[in-house]
Amino acid sequence: MTKAANVTKLKAPIAFEFSHIADLTHTLSGDTPYFHIEGVSFPFHMEPLTRLEEVGVYTTKWTMYDHHGTNINSPNHFIAGGAAAHELDVGSFFAPLAIINIADPAEDDPDTALTVDDILAWEAEHGQLPAGAAVFLRADWDRLAGELTKHLNRDAEGIRHNPGFSAEAARFLVQKRDIVGIGTETVAVDWGPDPDFQTHKIIHGAGKWAVENLTGLAAVPEAGATLILGPSKVKDASGGMTRVLAVW
C-alpha cells in the first residue's frame, strides 16, 4: 500500500513569482562556526568512505552532531516533550521573511540585543509583522565565519559576547505576534551573555523553531521576501543541517 503524503496547509498562502533567490546557508566544512563546549562538541569532519578510482563510486563519511553548520533547532532542544526535528510543521518552512538590522550598533557593542523597540521600529517602516512570519536578525556576524574564536567572542570567563534576541523581544514575538520561528547569524539565537538561554526556552516553549549560523542576510530586503527552509528529517533529533533560501 502506498503511504499517504504528509500534507499541511500554509498559514498564509504564498504566490511564488520571484526574480531573486539568495542562499543564506554556510557551506559546511571543518571551518564552519559551531557552538564549542570543551569535551562535548567538536568541528565537522568529512573523509572519503569509498574512492572513485578504487571502487568506481565516491562517497564520504561525516562526523558531526545535529547543530553543525546552518542548522535548525526544534523545540525538544530545550523543552521536554517538545517537537523533535522530524515532527516540525512543514507548513512553517515557507514564510514571509522579516529581517531586522542591528549591524551598526552590534559593530560597536557585540553585546547588542534585539529589543521590542527595534521590532516596533521595523513595523513603523514596513507594517506589522505578517501572520506566519519568520524573523531573522542581521548583525553582519557572518563576516567572522571561519574564525571560531572571534565568532564565539568569549571572554576569560568563557562568556560569549555576540548579538542576539533579548528575552523580552522573544516573548513579544510569541505573545503579541504570530511567528513561525526566528534566526540569527550567530551560533545561538540568545543574546551572548545570557547564561540561561532564555530566548531558546521562550521560542521553543511556544513550539517555534530557531535557525542559527545564517549568512548573506545583507543581500535580502528587510521586508517582502519569502523564506524557504529545507531541514534534514532525522527521528528524535534536536535539529539538523538546513538549507535556507530567500526569494523575492
Side-chain angles (χ1 to χ4, degrees), residues 35 78 110-113 152-155 158-171 188-203:
F35 199 110
F78 274 84
D111 287 339
T112 298
L152 294 176
N153 200 28
R154 283 182 166 139
D155 61 22
I159 297 171
R160 290 184 302 113
H161 295 278
N162 41 47
F165 287 78
S166 69
E168 293 74 20
R171 194 171 292 111
V189 291
D190 313 273
W191 172 64
D194 178 9
D196 299 320
F197 300 98
Q198 293 180 79
T199 294
H200 268 98
K201 294 171 183 176
I202 292 165
I203 292 295

Side-chain angles (χ1 to χ4, degrees), residues 69-160:
T70 301
N71 70 91
I72 199 166
N73 295 187
S74 47
N76 69 333
H77 189 33
F78 274 84
I79 304 299
H86 74 285
E87 297 170 318
L88 290 172
D89 177 9
V90 296
S92 71
F93 298 166
F94 297 81
L97 178 60
I99 297 177
I100 303 179
N101 183 1
I102 62 167
D104 287 343
E107 185 173 8
D108 295 329
D109 179 8
D111 287 339
T112 298
L114 181 77
T115 66
V116 174
D117 284 344
D118 292 324
I119 298 169
L120 295 177
W122 185 96
E123 291 188 331
E125 182 175 354
H126 303 291
Q128 185 168 308
L129 288 167
V135 180
F136 283 2
L137 180 60
R138 176 189 163 196
D140 293 348
W141 212 251
D142 53 338
R143 71 186 187 279
L144 301 174
E147 301 179 83
L148 182 61
T149 299
K150 292 182 179 180
H151 201 279
L152 294 176
N153 200 28
R154 283 182 166 139
D155 61 22
E157 284 72 44
I159 297 171
R160 290 184 302 113

Side-chain angles (χ1 to χ4, degrees), residues 5-16:
N6 182 7
V7 178
T8 299
K9 186 176 181 179
L10 293 178
K11 181 170 291 186
I14 297 172
F16 278 95

Side-chain angles (χ1 to χ4, degrees), residues 48-97:
L49 182 63
T50 61
R51 299 180 186 273
L52 195 63
E53 63 273 20
E54 294 175 353
V55 297
V57 62
Y58 175 60
T59 58
T60 58
K61 175 183 177 180
W62 301 353
T63 304
M64 62 183 301
Y65 63 102
D66 52 5
H67 297 281
H68 269 136
T70 301
N71 70 91
I72 199 166
N73 295 187
S74 47
N76 69 333
H77 189 33
F78 274 84
I79 304 299
H86 74 285
E87 297 170 318
L88 290 172
D89 177 9
V90 296
S92 71
F93 298 166
F94 297 81
L97 178 60

Side-chain angles (χ1 to χ4, degrees), residues 6-31:
N6 182 7
V7 178
T8 299
K9 186 176 181 179
L10 293 178
K11 181 170 291 186
I14 297 172
F16 278 95
E17 295 183 6
F18 57 91
S19 58
H20 298 78
I21 183 166
D23 190 349
L24 308 181
T25 318
H26 282 287
T27 298
L28 184 58
S29 73
D31 294 326

